[in-house]
Amino acid sequence: MAITLVNPKGLPEIDVYRQVSIASGSRLVFIAGQVSWDADATTIGEGDLAAQVERCYLNVATVLAAVGASFDDVAKLTVYVVDWTPDKMPLFLEGRARAVAKLGVDPVPPASLFGIAALDVPEHLVEIEATAVLA
Protein backbone atom coordinates (compact mmCIF):
# COMPACT_ATOMS: atom_id res chain seq x y z
CA MET A 1 0.00 0.00 0.00
CA ALA A 2 1.41 3.36 -1.05
CA ILE A 3 -0.61 5.54 1.37
CA THR A 4 -0.26 5.92 5.12
CA LEU A 5 -2.93 8.01 6.87
CA VAL A 6 -2.07 9.96 10.03
CA ASN A 7 -3.78 12.17 12.60
CA PRO A 8 -0.95 14.20 14.17
CA LYS A 9 -1.13 14.86 17.89
CA GLY A 10 -2.31 18.39 18.59
CA LEU A 11 -4.94 18.35 15.81
CA PRO A 12 -8.53 17.16 16.11
CA GLU A 13 -9.39 13.60 15.11
CA ILE A 14 -12.20 13.77 12.57
CA ASP A 15 -14.24 10.61 12.01
CA VAL A 16 -14.65 10.95 8.25
CA TYR A 17 -11.04 11.77 7.30
CA ARG A 18 -7.44 11.88 8.51
CA GLN A 19 -5.39 15.06 8.61
CA VAL A 20 -2.42 13.78 6.58
CA SER A 21 -1.62 11.19 3.95
CA ILE A 22 1.93 10.09 3.26
CA ALA A 23 2.46 8.71 -0.24
CA SER A 24 5.32 6.33 -0.97
CA GLY A 25 4.19 5.17 -4.42
CA SER A 26 5.39 6.33 -7.78
CA ARG A 27 2.25 6.48 -9.97
CA LEU A 28 -0.24 9.28 -9.47
CA VAL A 29 -3.88 8.83 -10.44
CA PHE A 30 -6.00 11.97 -10.80
CA ILE A 31 -9.70 11.17 -10.88
CA ALA A 32 -12.06 13.68 -12.45
CA GLY A 33 -14.88 14.87 -10.23
CA GLN A 34 -17.53 12.17 -10.06
CA VAL A 35 -21.17 13.19 -9.99
CA SER A 36 -24.26 11.07 -9.37
CA TRP A 37 -24.53 9.62 -12.87
CA ASP A 38 -25.10 6.01 -13.75
CA ALA A 39 -23.39 4.44 -16.79
CA ASP A 40 -26.01 6.00 -19.09
CA ALA A 41 -25.39 9.54 -17.71
CA THR A 42 -28.73 9.49 -15.89
CA THR A 43 -28.65 11.47 -12.65
CA ILE A 44 -29.30 9.26 -9.64
CA GLY A 45 -31.08 10.87 -6.68
CA GLU A 46 -32.20 14.10 -8.27
CA GLY A 47 -32.90 16.58 -5.46
CA ASP A 48 -31.60 14.11 -2.82
CA LEU A 49 -28.22 15.14 -1.40
CA ALA A 50 -27.69 11.88 0.53
CA ALA A 51 -28.41 9.74 -2.55
CA GLN A 52 -26.06 11.82 -4.67
CA VAL A 53 -23.24 11.67 -2.11
CA GLU A 54 -23.64 7.90 -2.00
CA ARG A 55 -23.51 7.60 -5.79
CA CYS A 56 -20.47 9.88 -6.05
CA TYR A 57 -18.50 7.70 -3.62
CA LEU A 58 -19.59 4.58 -5.52
CA ASN A 59 -18.50 6.16 -8.80
CA VAL A 60 -15.09 7.05 -7.34
CA ALA A 61 -14.77 3.40 -6.25
CA THR A 62 -15.64 2.29 -9.80
CA VAL A 63 -12.91 4.48 -11.26
CA LEU A 64 -10.40 3.28 -8.68
CA ALA A 65 -11.18 -0.37 -9.47
CA ALA A 66 -10.77 0.32 -13.19
CA VAL A 67 -7.15 1.40 -12.61
CA GLY A 68 -6.37 -1.40 -10.16
CA ALA A 69 -6.75 0.75 -7.06
CA SER A 70 -9.04 1.11 -4.06
CA PHE A 71 -9.83 3.74 -1.47
CA ASP A 72 -6.70 2.50 0.37
CA ASP A 73 -4.72 4.20 -2.41
CA VAL A 74 -6.48 7.58 -2.20
CA ALA A 75 -4.26 10.38 -0.91
CA LYS A 76 -6.86 13.19 -1.10
CA LEU A 77 -10.56 13.72 -1.71
CA THR A 78 -12.12 17.02 -2.69
CA VAL A 79 -15.88 17.44 -2.36
CA TYR A 80 -17.96 20.19 -3.93
CA VAL A 81 -21.54 20.73 -2.73
CA VAL A 82 -23.98 23.16 -4.32
CA ASP A 83 -25.38 25.76 -1.89
CA TRP A 84 -23.57 24.17 1.06
CA THR A 85 -24.62 25.11 4.57
CA PRO A 86 -23.57 23.30 7.75
CA ASP A 87 -27.13 22.05 8.33
CA LYS A 88 -26.63 19.78 5.28
CA MET A 89 -23.90 17.81 7.06
CA PRO A 90 -26.29 15.08 8.35
CA LEU A 91 -27.44 14.40 4.76
CA PHE A 92 -23.85 14.32 3.55
CA LEU A 93 -22.89 11.90 6.32
CA GLU A 94 -25.94 9.72 5.62
CA GLY A 95 -24.95 9.37 1.96
CA ARG A 96 -21.36 8.67 2.89
CA ALA A 97 -22.47 6.02 5.42
CA ARG A 98 -24.64 4.31 2.79
CA ALA A 99 -21.66 4.20 0.42
CA VAL A 100 -19.42 2.84 3.18
CA ALA A 101 -21.95 0.06 3.85
CA LYS A 102 -22.05 -0.90 0.16
CA LEU A 103 -18.29 -0.65 -0.37
CA GLY A 104 -17.30 -2.42 2.83
CA VAL A 105 -14.56 0.17 3.42
CA ASP A 106 -14.50 3.51 5.20
CA PRO A 107 -12.61 5.98 2.99
CA VAL A 108 -10.82 8.40 5.32
CA PRO A 109 -8.05 10.14 3.35
CA PRO A 110 -7.57 13.85 3.89
CA ALA A 111 -10.57 15.66 2.45
CA SER A 112 -11.79 19.17 1.76
CA LEU A 113 -15.43 20.16 1.31
CA PHE A 114 -16.28 23.32 -0.62
CA GLY A 115 -19.64 25.02 -0.99
CA ILE A 116 -20.13 26.20 -4.55
CA ALA A 117 -22.81 28.01 -6.56
CA ALA A 118 -23.40 25.35 -9.22
CA LEU A 119 -22.05 22.27 -10.97
CA ASP A 120 -22.22 21.20 -14.61
CA VAL A 121 -26.00 20.69 -14.68
CA PRO A 122 -28.67 21.87 -12.23
CA GLU A 123 -29.54 18.30 -11.19
CA HIS A 124 -26.10 17.68 -9.71
CA LEU A 125 -25.75 18.65 -6.06
CA VAL A 126 -22.35 17.14 -5.28
CA GLU A 127 -19.11 16.20 -7.02
CA ILE A 128 -16.18 14.25 -5.56
CA GLU A 129 -12.69 14.15 -7.05
CA ALA A 130 -9.81 12.03 -5.87
CA THR A 131 -6.06 11.72 -6.12
CA ALA A 132 -4.58 8.26 -5.65
CA VAL A 133 -1.03 6.97 -5.45
CA LEU A 134 -0.04 3.51 -6.65
CA ALA A 135 3.21 1.68 -6.04
Side-chain angles (χ1 to χ4, degrees), residues 76-81 84-85 89 92 111-116 126:
K76 177 80 167 76
L77 289 174
T78 304
V79 180
Y80 303 94
V81 181
W84 176 260
T85 55
M89 185 60 83
F92 179 86
S112 297
L113 188 153
F114 297 97
I116 59 171
V126 63

Side-chain angles (χ1 to χ4, degrees), residues 23-127:
S24 60
S26 59
R27 295 185 315 154
L28 296 177
V29 179
F30 300 95
I31 299 172
Q34 297 299 302
V35 294
S36 61
W37 275 338
D38 65 10
D40 298 318
T42 300
T43 298
I44 304 300
E46 190 170 336
D48 182 343
L49 180 61
Q52 289 198 21
V53 168
E54 175 186 5
R55 184 61 189 219
C56 289
Y57 272 100
L58 296 177
N59 286 353
V60 170
T62 297
V63 175
L64 288 166
V67 298
S70 73
F71 271 104
D72 288 338
D73 301 302
V74 174
K76 177 80 167 76
L77 289 174
T78 304
V79 180
Y80 303 94
V81 181
V82 174
D83 296 325
W84 176 260
T85 55
D87 63 314
K88 293 181 180 179
M89 185 60 83
L91 291 172
F92 179 86
L93 293 175
E94 175 188 334
R96 184 185 175 284
R98 292 186 339 210
V100 165
K102 286 183 179 175
L103 295 169
V105 298
D106 190 3
V108 293
S112 297
L113 188 153
F114 297 97
I116 59 171
L119 286 167
D120 58 332
V121 295
E123 299 83 38
H124 292 157
L125 304 175
V126 63
E127 182 172 313

